[in-house]
Amino acid sequence: MIETLRLARRTPGVLLLLFGNFAVAFGSNIVIPFLAVYLTREQNLSPVVVAMAITVKFWSQQGLSMLGGWIADRVGPVRAMSGGLLVRAVSYLVLLSVSGPVQVVTACALLGLGGAIYVPASKAALVRLLGTGDQLRTVFALRSTANNVGCAVGPLAGSLLLLVADPRIGFVVTSVIYMVLAAVFLRLRPLVDAEEPTGADSKAAADADGPVTAVNRRNLAWVLACGFAFGFCYIQLEYALPVYTGSVQSASLVGVLFTVNAIAVVLLQVPLNQYTSKISSSALVICGALLIMTTSFAAASLGSVGGLVASVLLFSAAEVLIDPRIDSEMANTVPAHRRGMAFGFIGTAMALGGACANALAAWLSTDDGAPERQFWLLLVAVSAAFAVVLYAASWAVRPRGAAKVERDMSSASSV
């Protein structure tokens, strides 16, 4: 972790980006955990409308991430980041001034759109500062750590604001944080956009890069397949696991499990990725982490407190290994002028995987909405199949001759 922090400190602009990601997650979590409560109690909206609004927000952020990435490629990562934050800031203020179902759903869609613009742009900006070397994976891990710390601290600040002030204050505070960040991020333009070609130069650069080669197209498909598999597995932490835990144990255990996940992710993110940085094969790391998720789902099927805690710990370890590897693989797969949209593709692939998983969970649920034990055993088989298929497919996307070089190196080392 110390080496990663040194790298971030000596690369101009990286610390500001990392702090910005923390501040964005912090500001969002001042409001988002309590948004449903606010809309039902303060705005007197029906639970159906509130559920629809929150669902629209999620799908707007994930489904429109391709659009957000395209915007980042067109106007530059820094301007897209600032624009996305301003959209989110305005959406929080709009939520304070509207009360009808249509207006609230529209404001939540706007909130998701702001996130869809910001996230791909922030990743593209980080790659622009650091390049695509091996160190990128550990800095992406540090970025995830900053996000998770913000996600852990934000709800505490939101709870405090609810105790000492009007519930609307949280919306205003978050909006102000985003507006200040949008202005501060503009300082990064000379660093991030310094080498970004514009106008005729942009067309020349695109022509120089040429079309994505057949190998890159295959690798792009493989990375997106990894994103789909990760989304399919990751969504269990947000839907199936909480509902299942509430049915087989006390509902209060759900909060404990989320706390365990938050702490584990923060503590494991950088050390695990630094340790696995010695492994050059992303396929080996990603597919190995999917097998860890297989073990996690098997532990969850036990239904005991110990099994559920072990499941979350294993899940957290797998999560922190997969996420940075997917991002770094995408950065190495596509040319610079397409990375924003490429990162957007990852969000969409994860959303599709999550949608399929939730549909499966709903289909195999009992009358009280909780998935049965057989659902977790099915997840064991599905996640293991993902690992095997993706690892086998990784050999097909390697550049021609790479496998032979690896075999020759192995033979030489054994002599």
Side-chain angles (χ1 to χ4, degrees), residues 365-404:
S365 294
T366 59
D367 293 337
D368 62 356
E372 298 178 333
R373 181 173 181 269
Q374 288 80 357
F375 171 72
W376 299 101
L377 297 178
L378 180 60
L379 285 181
V380 169
V382 172
S383 55
F386 277 145
V388 172
V389 171
L390 288 172
Y391 188 74
S394 70
W395 289 84
V397 304
R398 294 186 183 191
R400 202 170 288 176
K404 182 179 184 302

Side-chain angles (χ1 to χ4, degrees), residues 166-180:
D166 187 280
R168 295 172 177 82
I169 296 298
F171 289 81
V172 176
V173 170
T174 298
S175 184
V176 170
I177 290 174
Y178 286 171
M179 289 180 181
V180 171

Side-chain angles (χ1 to χ4, degrees), residues 132-261:
T132 57
D134 292 338
Q135 75 276 8
L136 184 61
R137 285 193 292 267
T138 54
V139 178
F140 266 128
L142 193 58
R143 179 185 182 277
S144 296
T145 300
N147 287 342
N148 282 290
V149 172
C151 291
V153 178
L156 299 178
S159 299
L160 182 61
L161 286 174
L162 287 176
L163 288 175
V164 302
D166 187 280
R168 295 172 177 82
I169 296 298
F171 289 81
V172 176
V173 170
T174 298
S175 184
V176 170
I177 290 174
Y178 286 171
M179 289 180 181
V180 171
L181 276 177
V184 171
F185 276 150
L186 291 177
R187 297 174 53 190
L188 292 173
R189 284 194 64 193
L191 295 172
V192 175
D193 297 343
E195 299 179 1
E196 180 183 10
T198 57
D201 293 335
S202 178
K203 185 178 185 304
D207 292 341
D209 282 329
V212 180
T213 66
V215 172
N216 281 344
R217 283 199 297 269
R218 292 197 299 268
N219 200 58
L220 176 63
W222 183 81
V223 174
L224 293 178
C226 290
F228 179 91
F230 182 43
F232 187 99
C233 296
Y234 180 80
I235 201 68
Q236 310 308 328
L237 184 67
E238 298 186 358
Y239 173 65
L241 187 64
V243 177
Y244 176 73
T245 300
S247 67
V248 298
Q249 298 292 335
S250 169
S252 60
L253 182 61
V254 175
V256 175
L257 294 180
F258 271 81
T259 302
V260 169
N261 173 252

Side-chain angles (χ1 to χ4, degrees), residues 283-375:
L284 187 61
V285 174
I286 292 173
C287 297
L290 285 172
L291 291 178
I292 294 176
M293 284 189 168
T294 298
T295 309
S296 168
F297 296 142
S301 70
L302 300 176
S304 63
V305 174
L308 291 169
V309 172
S311 173
V312 170
L313 287 172
L314 290 166
F315 191 96
S316 302
E319 173 191 347
V320 302
L321 288 173
I322 295 176
D323 198 18
R325 282 281 177 163
I326 290 179
D327 285 337
S328 62
E329 276 298 304
M330 184 61 82
N332 286 313
T333 297
V334 298
H337 65 282
R338 296 175 180 170
R339 286 194 188 117
M341 193 168 184
F343 285 125
F345 277 135
I346 293 177
T348 302
M350 289 182 61
L352 290 174
C356 292
N358 280 348
L360 181 63
W363 181 47
L364 296 178
S365 294
T366 59
D367 293 337
D368 62 356
E372 298 178 333
R373 181 173 181 269
Q374 288 80 357
F375 171 72

